[in-house]
Amino acid sequence: MRIGGVKVDLLDRGGGSRRVRLCSVRALVAQAQWPLAGSILALAAPWSGAIAQERPSRDAGGEVILVIADKQRGGVEGAPQPIEVLDEAAIEAAGAVNLAELLATLTPQARSGRSRTAGPPAVLLNGRRIAGFNEIRLLPSEAIARVDVLPEEVAVRYGFAPDQRVINFVLKERFRSVTAEADLGALGSETRSTREFEFGVLRIAPSGRINLTLESSKAEAVSEADRGIVDLTGLRDISFRTLAPATTQWDIGLNANRTIGGETGVTVDLRHSATDAESLLGRRATGLLTQDAVTTSSRAGLTFDGFRGDWQWSASLVHDRNDRSVITDQASGSQAPGLSAGVQARAQTDIRSWEAIANASGPLVELPAGPLRAGLRIGVEDRSVDARSERAGVAAASALSRSQALARASLTVPITSRRNDFGAELGEWSLTASAAHLLISDFDALTSYSAGLTYSPVEDLRITVSRDRSEAAPTVEQLGDASVATPAVAVFDPVLGESAIVTRLTGGNPLLTAESRTDWSLGVVWEVPLVEGLEVQATYAKFAAENALSPFPTLTPALEVAFPSRVSRDASGRLVAIDRRPINIAARNTDQLRWGFSFARNIGKPPERDPAAGGGPASGRRIGPGAWTGAPTAGQPVGSSPSAPPPGARPNPGGVGGARTGGGPSVGAAGGSGWMGGPPGSPSGAPGRWSVSLFHTWKLADTARLSSGGAELNLLEGDALRETGGSARHELELEGGWFYRGVGFRVSANWQGESRVDGATPASTLFYGDILTANLRLFANLGANRNLVSAHPYLKGVRVFVRADNLTDSAQPVKDAAGATPFAFQKGFQAPRGRVIEISLRKQF
């Protein structure tokens, strides 16, 4: 890890101690002088507690200063070096208002090349497991002191899947705020608006935290006429068919945490949400055909966590309930297939679940290379689905329930260690292994295991090879969701080479069976030593699945042959209905290389701080209880804990830690103002910053077999499983931005290469063009401008955001063999909401 151009290594002192660490700071030759001891101690700011100094010694690398301190506050004990660390300045530069948005900006770095999906990473809070990300997603970004992106081997220790990276959010020790945000946007066209309001109250103290959030939103519908759909069938009234429904949503949540006995915490999480989405399916002689989907969900969770000796543990009990009702009002005179005139179609799905999980991790025994660490997770779950549906006068009902018990264990074995000077000439080697056994009431027992070997020949380079073998059962929702029929859906028929208007059936499939997966990966992470702030990553992965669970793929001739009962045609052979409930396919194999870089640098210098505003001079900063930085007084040992501050030093209220370029206390911990009179939580004196990350995914092979004994499909050369076409050989992810003095922007973009889907004849082949989508965010912290706040005090704590999703209003172009766009692939169908522009005003009190 580099801080301000100086190499900082965190070393376990040995003996399995959780509290004591050794910090070895190898300064540059020009910097390795005792007069800079105060600056060296400033680099130790992320480590809370008293700091002591040992006598310096020399090694081949020059001067070495040994500093003993408590463990890094909120860090993961014994974890490998983070892939990425964001301090307060980097967090502010991200322009995110809450943890959900902050996590989105980390997507390229946080996405594991070992994962077969683009699912989210595992999330920790202050180095501890939480019941779910929803309980913290609306925490304001100003409350975060640091973010660590950790490699996959950390995930298994906490009971997560071995193909997930880990994001650890570290809260400030003291923080309080009341936040209100109002958003106004336009989607699809300027006449269709969105409105959103968020309100939050947060208080963080050493004894615990409490967070109350309220969120409501409303979006108007986008019709086919709004997006320029041209009716080529003569069967649709485009002004009365919606591409995006009119939605109303609200959510309320309460999360409270209390520390008991110093290191044991109890967390209560309560939340409830409701969503109403209304779609228009067309106009009939006697009225409109509508479909109304209402979803309500509630959660109650109780979590205990803490330490026993050197072991960290957590236990949680969570109850979830989710009810979804879909009502299709069918007016008389309808010609929609499958729905009789004057009949309502209804579908109701009620889901209930109870889950209890216990996790523990810590050192088992001290080895020459360091502690052998173990992780254990035990969990039980009971989940039930009650589904009822009525369509065309025919009623159906199903009730499924499932009980399961999971046991997962992991070991992390250090083999050699530079830190402990054991086999250092061989580099640093470690082994991570995990195994899991899952008992499911309606399936046979399922097993999973993983193993990973990590090799670090030099400090800046880490190489990992891993193998994961797992079995997974379909969810009860995939098995038992109520059936919903949506009439008059536009699709492309690859057999006849024409667009068709069909009834689409969705819901659960009770015939699904478990799948098995075998994944291999080889990954490299290199922190380029000659270019500060540059990190390069590359992962080669080989994914193989048997009996793979899959959403119903895009319709192709091969799919219709393999699943003939899922496709309905009339006497003339025209397509009239598709059953799109999930399926198992015999096999899926993918080889891919994902590589890229992230690069971040500070720009400019920190502005001059106003001591009266709480900034304090740069010569001193308190970094822990009883510890101060700055030039030591005569005869005072470096890093000692004086009873009074050294000359020029100012206290940091609450002793908040965190590496922060430019000095100054951590404001906002007690609701104070920044160097420019900014809102609570603004890092004081932070310099500007720019960053960019770019990752390329190259699929070397992608094949599938739909049925046992069936032909192998090449998804890169004309076959398809996705509704968006064949498998693109190349994809790019870009994320970056610029920030200076409270003003900045962020850009994220994704590019997907071209593909094709072969039809029954060359004339029915479809060509999917490449597509680039970009999102832009502009933001300004008005409260960071001291002169503006002096003239208009009400602007203190005010931020303004302008967001543009799908900035270029992009949609994937699809052409047939003649170069024309089929009806079902018009731009409005491909990108229903189009460009979404939103303006937000946020004030923090």
Side-chain angles (χ1 to χ4, degrees), residues 189-219:
S189 68
E190 295 182 358
T191 61
R192 303 305 183 189
S193 66
T194 63
R195 297 176 292 280
E196 185 173 355
F197 176 77
E198 296 179 14
F199 176 79
V201 178
L202 174 63
R203 182 180 178 89
I204 302 175
S207 59
R209 70 180 183 276
I210 185 167
N211 184 34
L212 173 66
T213 59
L214 176 64
E215 185 179 18
S216 67
S217 64
K218 186 172 184 178

Side-chain angles (χ1 to χ4, degrees), residues 84 531-535 597-601 690-694:
E84 185 92 8
V531 184
E532 180 185 348
L534 176 62
E535 185 173 80
F597 69 89
S598 57
F599 195 14
R601 296 289 293 269
W690 65 266
S691 64
V692 62
S693 63
L694 179 65

Side-chain angles (χ1 to χ4, degrees), residues 31 57 114 136 162 397 621 678 707 765:
Q31 294 177 327
S57 61
R114 290 167 53 177
I136 63 171
R621 177 172 77 249
S707 59
T765 295

Side-chain angles (χ1 to χ4, degrees), residues 292-356:
D292 191 26
V294 178
T295 303
T296 59
S297 60
S298 301
R299 158 169 282 218
L302 178 65
T303 301
F304 294 88
D305 63 83
F307 290 90
R308 185 171 182 83
D310 293 324
W311 279 69
Q312 181 180 347
W313 62 269
S314 67
S316 61
L317 178 65
V318 178
H319 173 57
D320 283 300
R321 59 180 298 164
N322 185 286
D323 301 326
R324 185 170 189 264
S325 172
V326 180
I327 299 177
T328 303
D329 286 330
Q330 177 62 49
S332 62
S334 169
Q335 301 300 314
L339 288 176
S340 301
V343 174
Q344 275 195 334
R346 300 175 181 268
Q348 177 76 34
T349 302
D350 301 330
I351 303 173
R352 305 287 184 268
S353 71
W354 287 91
E355 184 180 45

Side-chain angles (χ1 to χ4, degrees), residues 343-679:
V343 174
Q344 275 195 334
R346 300 175 181 268
Q348 177 76 34
T349 302
D350 301 330
I351 303 173
R352 305 287 184 268
S353 71
W354 287 91
E355 184 180 45
I357 298 176
N359 288 276
S361 61
L364 283 177
V365 64
E366 188 69 22
L367 301 178
L372 170 67
R373 295 186 177 275
L376 180 64
R377 177 186 180 186
I378 299 175
V380 294
E381 180 185 17
D382 183 79
R383 196 171 186 87
S384 64
V385 174
D386 184 11
R388 304 172 299 280
S389 63
E390 180 182 353
R391 183 168 65 96
V394 178
S398 65
L400 296 176
S401 63
R402 171 183 293 174
S403 298
Q404 65 182 42
L406 170 69
R408 183 189 295 274
S410 67
L411 288 175
T412 302
V413 186
I415 301 173
T416 64
S417 173
R418 285 186 294 269
R419 300 176 176 185
N420 286 19
D421 197 21
F422 180 78
E425 63 278 3
L426 302 176
E428 194 159 86
W429 293 81
S430 65
L431 174 68
T432 300
S434 70
H437 190 68
L438 179 62
L439 298 176
I440 303 180
S441 58
D442 51 349
F443 281 88
D444 294 332
L446 304 179
T447 59
S448 303
Y449 64 85
S450 68
L453 184 65
T454 301
Y455 170 51
S456 176
V458 294
E459 293 180 353
D460 298 314
L461 179 64
R462 189 177 78 242
I463 303 170
T464 302
V465 60
S466 68
R467 183 180 189 270
D468 304 330
R469 171 73 179 177
S470 63
E471 296 177 318
T475 66
V476 288
E477 292 87 347
Q478 289 175 314
L479 293 168
D481 266 353
S483 297
V484 177
T486 303
V489 177
V491 300
F492 184 78
D493 182 352
V495 174
L496 299 181
E498 64 182 20
S499 295
I501 304 301
V502 304
T503 295
R504 181 183 62 199
L505 182 65
T506 57
N509 177 7
L511 301 179
L512 294 175
T513 58
E515 73 171 13
S516 60
R517 311 164 181 165
T518 303
D519 301 336
W520 288 88
S521 70
L522 173 65
V524 177
V525 178
W526 183 33
E527 186 180 344
V528 181
L530 298 180
V531 184
E532 180 185 348
L534 176 62
E535 185 173 80
V536 178
Q537 302 179 40
T539 303
Y540 168 75
K542 188 178 183 67
F543 306 128
E546 297 178 357
N547 208 34
L549 293 163
S550 172
F552 194 76
T554 187
L555 184 61
T556 63
L559 184 69
E560 188 170 351
V561 170
F563 299 91
S565 63
R566 294 300 193 94
V567 179
S568 299
R569 297 181 180 273
D570 62 17
S572 66
R574 295 192 179 278
L575 193 65
V576 296
I578 298 179
D579 182 349
R580 300 196 60 86
R581 293 176 297 173
I583 60 173
N584 289 102
I585 62 175
R588 177 75 187 273
N589 296 277
T590 304
D591 291 8
Q592 70 177 36
L593 173 66
R594 184 177 187 269
W595 69 283
F597 69 89
S598 57
F599 195 14
R601 296 289 293 269
N602 289 341
I603 55 177
K605 295 182 179 180
E608 292 296 327
R609 293 177 300 280
D610 181 5
S619 59
R621 177 172 77 249
R622 188 176 183 179
I623 58 177
W628 299 78
T629 65
T633 56
Q636 174 188 320
V638 174
S640 63
S641 302
S643 57
R650 293 175 61 88
N652 175 6
V656 176
R660 287 143 36 84
T661 308
S666 177
V667 299
S673 298
W675 57 271
M676 283 177 146

Side-chain angles (χ1 to χ4, degrees), residues 76 81 101 209-210:
V76 176
Q81 181 172 311
E101 292 188 3
R209 70 180 183 276
I210 185 167

